[in-house]
Amino acid sequence: RKGDILAQLTQTLTTSATDLGVDVVLVTPDRALFSAAQHYRRERYHWALDEAAMKDAMRLGRLAIQGHLALFLGAGVSIGAGLPGWSDLLARLAERSNVAVPDSTRFPALDQAQLLEKMIPNLGEQVSAIIAETSTPSLA
């Protein structure tokens, strides 16, 4: 059944991307499913890219293989995967670092983050650690 679902999903994503003129990223939970998706895509779909687009695609592929790409999605998309929302993230960062959470009634969200950045020297590492705790893919 996984193969049938993957085939339908790949076909739907490809058709939608073509019809809407957008790029689509399919995220898989493991290497086996990723390999199956790549095989299915290569067997059934071929896109004609001009030289400049092919050069960009090759560069992005190299960066992806090296682990140098990151997804940035809108607010709320990550919550379905079990990642914390903004206020929960701030609270968890403050708790991990033994600092007080900036008062949300006095400071907007971005100001709260800037205050935490000043109070937590390794903020990026702390955020990465919290994000790494979750490995559940989300349909979003």
Side-chain angles (χ1 to χ4, degrees):
R1 302 268 322 145
K2 284 182 183 180
D4 294 338
I5 292 169
L6 183 60
Q8 184 61 49
L9 180 60
T10 306
Q11 180 181 353
T12 301
L13 290 173
T14 302
T15 301
S16 297
T18 302
D19 291 349
L20 298 171
V22 298
D23 290 327
V24 175
V25 176
L26 175 62
V27 179
T28 60
D30 56 51
R31 288 187 179 270
L33 194 54
F34 173 77
S35 293
Q38 285 289 71
H39 176 77
Y40 183 84
R41 181 189 57 80
R42 284 188 189 117
E43 289 293 313
R44 288 173 176 79
Y45 301 102
H46 302 282
W47 294 282
L49 300 177
D50 63 32
E51 188 176 335
M54 181 58 81
K55 189 174 179 179
D56 284 341
M58 297 299 285
R59 182 180 62 81
L60 286 172
R62 280 191 303 275
L63 290 170
I65 288 169
Q66 296 167 357
H68 293 297
L69 296 182
L71 280 179
F72 289 95
L73 304 172
V77 171
S78 58
I79 291 172
L83 291 170
W86 183 254
S87 59
D88 187 31
L89 176 62
L90 293 181
R92 288 172 66 180
L93 285 167
E95 181 182 324
R96 286 170 88 93
S97 303
N98 265 346
V99 299
V101 178
D103 182 3
S104 62
T105 61
R106 292 185 52 212
F107 300 104
L110 292 178
D111 291 343
Q112 293 174 41
Q114 285 182 325
L115 285 170
L116 281 178
E117 183 180 32
K118 302 270 187 243
M119 296 188 293
I120 304 172
N122 60 344
L123 181 64
E125 291 172 18
Q126 293 295 328
V127 171
S128 292
I130 290 169
I131 290 170
E133 292 171 2
T134 302
S135 61
T136 305
S138 168
L139 289 178

